[in-house]
Amino acid sequence: MSVDNQFAEQAARAASSLAQGFGDAFKQLQALQIQPEAWTQLQSDYLRQAGELWNGALGDQSGEHAPAAPLKDRRFSSPSWNENRLSHFTAQLYLLNARTLQRMAEQVQGDDKTRARVRFAVQQFVDAASPSNFLALNPEAQRLALDTQGESIARGVQLLMADVRRGHVSQTDESAFEVGRNVATTEGHVVFENELFQLLEYKPLTAKVHARPLLMVPPCINKYYILDLQPENSLIRHAVAQGHRTFVVSWRNPDAECVHWTWDDYIGRAAIKAIEVVREIAGTETINTLGFCVGGTILATALAVLAARGEQPAESITLLTTLIDFSNNGVLDLFVDESSVRMREMTLGEQAVNGPGLLHGQELATTFSFLRPNDLVWNYVVGNYLKGEAPPAFDLLYWNGDATNLPGPMYCWYLRHTYLQNELRIPGRLTVCGEAIDLGAIQAPVYLYGSREDHIVPWDAAYRSTQIFKGKKRFVLGASGHIAGVINPPEKKKRSHWIGKGSALPADERQWLAEATEHPGSWWTDWDKWLAGHAGPQKAAPRTPGNRTYQAIEPAPGRYVKQRA
């Protein structure tokens, strides 16, 4: 049998194998409502491109074959995919099938949410079905196995078993990091704690500090040290170095004793309590405040409760990638509807049949990873298990894997009243800690930040907060995503940010962007100037943390942040 005939048979078997998997997906999509003319065009285009692919793969019958054109998809960037004709054909056929499925998903008839869910499901299937994810189809992994005489496969099995014990796919060498030793190392002390949080105060780095302190409220769905990974990229250390007496909420990682905690607990016994303690320690009527992601939602809610009580403790508010108006929140909206929220309420909420429960941190972490499956899931499946390559040490991914649980009642309230019913933005609609809240009653000026490529808090969603707060507002847009956009120290001279023309904040974010000016580098420098204008005069830095009432309990980062989910 000639080489060409052998290749033809192998290619046919590869095509048949791929067709079995993709065929079911094609049939399921075909069963959905697709306009007949669109379906006919899809069929015609697919058959034509498949024919061209097949003829091109066979080449001429002389046995002389031109080098395969490099595949542009980075999953197939290894020379092995181009040197092996069968693997090259398999990858090309996969990419054709993937493009066709994605085009079919775009043609499905239905409401916006249904169509978005179909697109998401198709993308998940397409990413999972990549031939690079399977040892039998991955020539790079096969060659590595031969070159190492099977050692790569043995190492891959060991890494797989270790991850099975951990309960998640490893994204970094977790043994390389320890909270308080080489992450979260900015010097400070715990000056207050209760069941829900520890309050950290950081040691001044300047001889003088501003009169008004800064309180940071990080998200409770992650550990606070995303703001303090390393000295060179720590927003906490940066704030301290700018002369701000800086306090940070470090959330407790809830366990079985905490299943009854509610949204009101997080507002009243945590955020409001932190504001109260910081004011008492600093001896000031007002403080500067910062909230990041869900921490910003918690902070804004707490300040609205205090406003309803006639209190205005915030001199300023900074909200980083924070949702207040939940009317359109990108891909996360796909996971929330009445039935899904009700299911959570019945299994985890206050009225759950078996009592309230915990939303385990790994479930949240897995959900967020599958928002970018090629980068955060399949990349590590291939590297760890097929190639036997342990992932390198990376502090950001260590933090990403340091999951945090959530109490069911708190989580269910948050899902229903924000993502599902979008009531936080409506004056008087919600009652929190016994008060009907109105975010428009908060008088403090607000600095709003969004990241342009954020897939968790889309920048237009962050921008919508400009239409809710009534005081002075400044909106700044940064480049990159949810984390990389926020954690962007000026010294790195990376990325850029956009500042609007004047103080105008039109309802349409596209109009704002069209008139905004792009500036090179970090948005931190713009925030520094803004915050300094609200921080008050400088005075001698305190020599000891806390005060007589709130004395140092233990060194930062404290115990709570070290609790594993």
Side-chain angles (χ1 to χ4, degrees), residues 441-487:
I442 300 171
Q443 296 174 6
V446 186
Y447 188 102
L448 298 159
Y449 169 85
S451 291
R452 194 164 185 177
E453 287 86 41
D454 195 336
H455 62 289
I456 296 174
V457 179
W459 84 267
D460 57 321
Y463 180 86
R464 286 196 296 272
S465 297
T466 62
Q467 309 303 304
I468 294 174
F469 295 102
K470 304 305 182 185
K472 292 183 179 180
K473 292 158 289 193
R474 182 175 183 80
F475 182 83
V476 174
L477 178 64
S480 197
H482 190 68
I483 298 299
V486 171
I487 308 302

Side-chain angles (χ1 to χ4, degrees), residues 95-159:
L95 292 172
L96 171 60
N97 287 338
R99 288 193 302 270
T100 304
L101 276 176
Q102 289 163 338
R103 287 182 61 195
M104 291 176 68
E106 291 291 340
Q107 296 297 327
V108 170
Q109 303 296 300
D111 59 77
D112 290 344
K113 194 162 192 172
T114 297
R115 297 178 70 244
R117 282 178 166 170
V118 170
R119 289 195 298 270
F120 180 81
V122 166
Q123 191 62 53
Q124 294 295 316
F125 171 80
V126 163
D127 292 342
S130 171
S132 59
N133 297 339
F134 302 92
L135 181 60
L137 299 174
N138 188 322
E140 183 183 7
Q142 292 169 5
R143 175 171 293 181
L144 187 60
L146 291 173
D147 291 345
T148 62
Q149 298 182 327
E151 287 185 14
S152 63
I153 294 177
R155 290 196 301 267
V157 171
Q158 292 174 346
L159 292 170

Side-chain angles (χ1 to χ4, degrees), residues 2-306:
S2 71
V3 172
D4 282 306
N5 287 338
Q6 286 180 336
F7 172 75
E9 286 192 10
Q10 291 172 337
R13 286 198 296 269
S16 176
S17 177
L18 279 179
Q20 289 179 5
F22 277 88
D24 289 340
F26 280 124
K27 290 176 183 177
Q28 290 178 25
L29 279 176
Q30 186 180 3
L32 298 174
Q33 291 186 341
I34 298 178
Q35 293 290 346
E37 56 272 20
W39 176 244
T40 301
Q41 185 64 50
L42 285 166
Q43 283 183 310
S44 174
D45 291 346
Y46 180 79
L47 291 173
R48 175 179 55 77
Q49 293 176 66
E52 292 172 355
L53 178 60
W54 177 259
N55 292 331
L58 290 180
D60 69 87
Q61 298 302 307
S62 66
E64 298 293 329
H65 300 282
L71 296 163
K72 295 181 179 180
D73 191 301
R74 66 183 179 85
R75 291 171 292 181
F76 312 117
S77 60
S78 167
S80 302
W81 288 96
N82 297 315
E83 295 166 358
N84 185 310
R85 290 174 61 201
L86 180 59
S87 297
H88 189 270
F89 170 76
T90 302
Q92 286 184 305
L93 183 58
Y94 159 77
L95 292 172
L96 171 60
N97 287 338
R99 288 193 302 270
T100 304
L101 276 176
Q102 289 163 338
R103 287 182 61 195
M104 291 176 68
E106 291 291 340
Q107 296 297 327
V108 170
Q109 303 296 300
D111 59 77
D112 290 344
K113 194 162 192 172
T114 297
R115 297 178 70 244
R117 282 178 166 170
V118 170
R119 289 195 298 270
F120 180 81
V122 166
Q123 191 62 53
Q124 294 295 316
F125 171 80
V126 163
D127 292 342
S130 171
S132 59
N133 297 339
F134 302 92
L135 181 60
L137 299 174
N138 188 322
E140 183 183 7
Q142 292 169 5
R143 175 171 293 181
L144 187 60
L146 291 173
D147 291 345
T148 62
Q149 298 182 327
E151 287 185 14
S152 63
I153 294 177
R155 290 196 301 267
V157 171
Q158 292 174 346
L159 292 170
L160 173 61
M161 296 309 296
D163 282 354
V164 168
R165 289 191 292 270
R166 291 189 189 96
H168 64 269
V169 177
S170 293
Q171 298 174 333
T172 185
D173 178 4
E174 297 181 8
S175 65
F177 299 100
E178 180 183 347
V179 176
R181 179 175 64 85
N182 54 4
V183 291
T185 60
T186 300
E187 189 175 355
H189 290 83
V190 176
V191 292
F192 172 83
E193 66 179 50
N194 64 15
E195 280 188 300
L196 282 93
F197 76 102
Q198 289 187 312
L199 183 66
L200 311 179
E201 180 182 359
Y202 288 90
K203 182 178 179 180
L205 295 173
T206 53
K208 293 185 176 182
V209 296
H210 289 284
R212 293 191 189 92
L214 171 64
L215 169 64
M216 295 185 178
V217 182
C220 56
I221 62 173
N222 301 108
K223 301 290 181 69
Y224 85 85
Y225 63 89
I226 185 57
L227 300 173
D228 189 32
L229 280 175
Q230 301 295 333
E232 61 270 18
N233 64 6
S234 169
L235 182 59
I236 290 173
R237 185 179 179 85
H238 177 82
V240 175
Q242 296 297 311
H244 299 286
R245 190 175 183 184
T246 303
F247 297 80
V248 175
V249 169
S250 175
W251 298 101
R252 177 178 173 183
N253 198 344
D255 54 27
E257 297 178 359
C258 315
V259 295
H260 59 281
W261 289 354
T262 65
W263 182 259
D264 279 18
D265 290 324
Y266 274 76
I267 304 304
R269 297 170 55 208
I272 291 177
K273 185 63 179 179
I275 292 169
E276 173 190 316
V277 173
V278 171
R279 289 170 71 189
E280 289 185 29
I281 290 175
T284 58
E285 286 296 315
T286 59
I287 64 173
N288 292 306
T289 61
L290 178 149
F292 179 22
C293 190
V294 180
T297 309
I298 289 173
L299 173 63
T301 304
L303 292 173
V305 169
L306 292 173

